């Protein structure tokens, strides 16, 4: 570099002072002011451009100067919007090239060598990336139609995202499959013949010097990046712009797409644990728990009171749609027996005040009822402490809320995924003695944030392997699953 070039490393923040040239920008970091290549940086979300010569001091004064700069320099505003539009277009074209190289450079060659790869192996490694390639080609074609080459800042691309928002759901399958793809590919790469084969594929296709696992990560990164790009575009789109409303709607739509993908990923991880839990229960009867449920909401001990005044100590597990009752073994307290379940869609929770209940003619403390909506059947439960009762009342509200949200988001787990989870759990538990270790601890009270608030952005300084994990929704994990390794009978 010469004296007029700005040196920086990954993670540094540069204050952009001049962005009139699309290739080279003038900026300032902690060391000095100089030129730097625009293609080497990414515009930060919620980061305003600063006029040339503006003070770098922080505080209200800088915010006021920045706000004035937006109105005093409309040409700079247009240039920044142009830069974001061009970044979206360029990254989309590069992404299509990567997808094409994967499909034609790797998958096509792998299918020619049936002795090296089975159909199942290729499905595991590449997932539905060919479907993604087909979808993205159509998406890019529509983007190009809306791109104004002469005046890029006038481009109206928001409608393209809105038109294709449902199509982006195909990324869910790919992202869920990606961890398994990494494991399968890693196992193959232990053999030199596979390493040489994949390298030959890359050279034959004249692809850039990135390993196959790097190329397979690009769809995961891409679906995370759309909300970031649209957030930046919205920042430099005035409310008077003809595309403002569409860009704003597209930003929310792509955040919801990312949220749905993350929720499905979390659900798949949850059903594996639930399947292993069911296998550990002695004397399970009826349908598998996964036939209707995909998440544990709450668990703990309650006393069940019968009409005759008899009490039964049970361990209850509240899942979405159903409540499962189990009984501890008298001698082996780490063993649970299945005793029944209740359909939560058919009952309503009724709080019971402390004192004598007229209907049951019994004195109650920390009690609540589950009343059937279709029959006269009533189930009475008592908790040991007032705070335990409060947790169960909140858990019931959480269960109803999550069922409603799953319906709104179209959250469904395929039958194949459910069967695979049960099959893996049965294989893992085959030949091992039943035993549950201890009664699960009740998870802490947690209020669910609204769906539209369960998004976070992905900082560029995070390693690529962690990008997808960072996009997880802001739900606190259940303590039940944190201690699952202590409770499961499958550990050695």
């Amino acid at each position: 570099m010469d004296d007029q070039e700005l040196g920086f490393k990954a993670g540094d923040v540069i204050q952009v002072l001049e962005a009139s040239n699309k290739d080279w920008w003038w900026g300032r970091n902690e060391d000095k002011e100089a030129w730097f290549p625009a293609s080497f940086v990414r515009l930060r979300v919620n980061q305003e451009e600063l006029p040339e010569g503006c003070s770098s001091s922080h505080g209200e004064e800088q915010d006021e100067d920045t706000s004035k700069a937006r109105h005093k320099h409309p040409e700079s505003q247009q240039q920044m919007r142009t830069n974001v539009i061009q970044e979206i277009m360029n990254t989309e074209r590069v992404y299509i090239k990567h997808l094409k190289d994967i499909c034609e450079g790797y998958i096509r060659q792998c299918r020619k060598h049936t002795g090296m790869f089975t159909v199942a192996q290729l499905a595991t490694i590449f997932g539905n990336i060919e479907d993604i390639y087909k979808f993205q080609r159509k998406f890019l074609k529509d983007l190009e139609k809306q791109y104004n080459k002469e005046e890029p800042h006038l481009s109206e691309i928001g409608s393209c995202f809105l038109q294709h928002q449902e199509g982006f759901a195909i990324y869910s399958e790919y992202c869920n499959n990606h961890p398994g793809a990494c494991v399968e590919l890693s196992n193959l790469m232990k053999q030199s013949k596979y390493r040489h084969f994949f390298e030959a594929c890359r050279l034959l296709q004249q692809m850039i010097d990135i390993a196959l696992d790097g190329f397979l990560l690009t769809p995961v990164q891409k679906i995370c990046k759309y909300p970031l790009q649209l957030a930046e575009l919205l920042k430099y789109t005035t409310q008077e712009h003809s595309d403002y409303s569409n860009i704003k709607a597209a930003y929310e739509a792509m955040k919801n797409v990312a949220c749905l993908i993350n929720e499905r990923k979390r659900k798949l991880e949850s059903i594996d644990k639930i399947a292993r839990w069911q296998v550990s229960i002695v004397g399970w009867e009826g349908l598998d728990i996964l036939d209707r449920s995909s998440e544990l909401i709450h668990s703990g001990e309650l006393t069940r009171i019968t009409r005759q005044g008899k009490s039964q100590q049970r361990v209850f597990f509240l899942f979405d749609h159903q409540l499962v009752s189990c009984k501890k073994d008298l001698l082996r307290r780490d063993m649970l027996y299945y005793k029944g379940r209740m359909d939560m869609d058919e009952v309503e929770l009724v709080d019971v005040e402390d004192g004598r209940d007229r209907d049951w003619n019994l004195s109650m403390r920390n009690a609540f009822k589950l009343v059937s909506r279709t029959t006269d059947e009533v189930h009475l439960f008592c908790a040991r402490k007032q705070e335990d009762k409060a947790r169960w009342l909140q858990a019931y509200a959480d269960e109803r809320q999550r069922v409603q949200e799953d319906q709104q988001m179209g959250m469904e787990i395929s039958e194949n995924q459910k069967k695979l989870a049960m099959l893996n759990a049965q294989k893992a538990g085959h030949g091992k003695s039943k035993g549950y270790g201890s009664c699960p601890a009740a998870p802490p009270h947690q209020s669910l944030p609204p769906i539209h608030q369960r998004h976070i952005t992905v900082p560029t300084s995070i390693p690529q392997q962690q990008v997808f994990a960072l996009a997880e929704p802001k739900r606190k994990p259940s303590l039940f699953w944190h201690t699952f390794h202590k409770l499961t009978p499958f550990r050695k």
Side-chain angles (χ1 to χ4, degrees), residues 48-49 67-82 84-85 152-156 230-249:
E48 302 291 354
E49 76 277 15
S67 178
K68 293 176 182 177
R70 295 186 64 186
H71 298 286
K72 289 183 179 180
H73 301 276
E75 298 83 4
S76 178
Q77 179 87 350
Q78 291 179 1
Q79 183 60 51
M80 295 302 286
R81 191 175 199 276
T82 294
V84 178
I85 288 285
H153 68 279
L154 297 179
S155 300
E156 301 178 0
L230 288 170
E232 292 177 9
L233 182 57
L234 183 62
K235 205 69 184 175
Y236 299 109
T237 303
T238 62
Q239 295 187 17
E240 295 76 24
H241 197 287
S242 57
D243 201 28
Y244 179 81
S245 59
N246 280 342
I247 291 296
K248 188 175 182 179

Side-chain angles (χ1 to χ4, degrees), residues 101-102 104-110 198 201-202 207 212:
D101 287 342
I102 294 171
E104 298 183 2
Y106 286 109
I107 298 179
R108 183 180 295 177
Q109 295 298 330
C110 288
F198 286 129
C201 290
R202 186 186 69 81
M207 301 165 68
L212 176 55

Side-chain angles (χ1 to χ4, degrees), residues 66 92 106 247 391:
T66 301
E92 203 65 31
Y106 286 109
I247 291 296
R391 290 194 189 103

Side-chain angles (χ1 to χ4, degrees), residues 1-56:
M1 297 189 304
D2 59 34
D3 292 338
Q4 289 295 306
E5 287 188 68
L6 190 67
F8 58 92
K9 62 182 182 299
D12 285 355
V13 177
I14 300 171
Q15 196 176 90
V16 181
L17 304 179
E18 175 59 47
S20 58
N21 186 297
K22 68 176 183 178
D23 297 320
W24 287 88
W25 292 351
W26 183 265
R28 177 196 299 127
N29 61 11
E30 295 180 356
D31 298 325
K32 67 175 184 177
E33 290 184 14
W35 294 105
F36 64 95
S39 60
F40 282 21
V41 299
R42 183 182 69 81
L43 295 175
R44 280 188 64 174
V45 180
N46 300 328
Q47 185 70 31
E48 302 291 354
E49 76 277 15
L50 294 174
E52 188 171 2
C54 177
S55 171
S56 61

Side-chain angles (χ1 to χ4, degrees), residues 56 68 87 104 113 195 210 219 240 366 371 374 420 461 478:
S56 61
K68 293 176 182 177
E87 180 197 3
E104 298 183 2
H113 294 76
R195 292 197 300 270
I210 296 178
E240 295 76 24
N366 309 323
V371 183
T374 56
L420 181 61
S461 59
S478 168

Side-chain angles (χ1 to χ4, degrees), residues 281 313-315 317 325-330 332-333 335-339:
I281 304 300
Q313 195 72 16
R314 296 285 186 264
V315 184
F317 299 86
S325 170
C326 295
K327 180 183 179 181
K328 287 184 178 180
D329 187 89
L330 293 176
R332 288 191 57 184
R333 304 297 284 178
M335 187 176 291
L336 292 175
Y337 294 88
Y338 176 83
K339 301 305 291 184

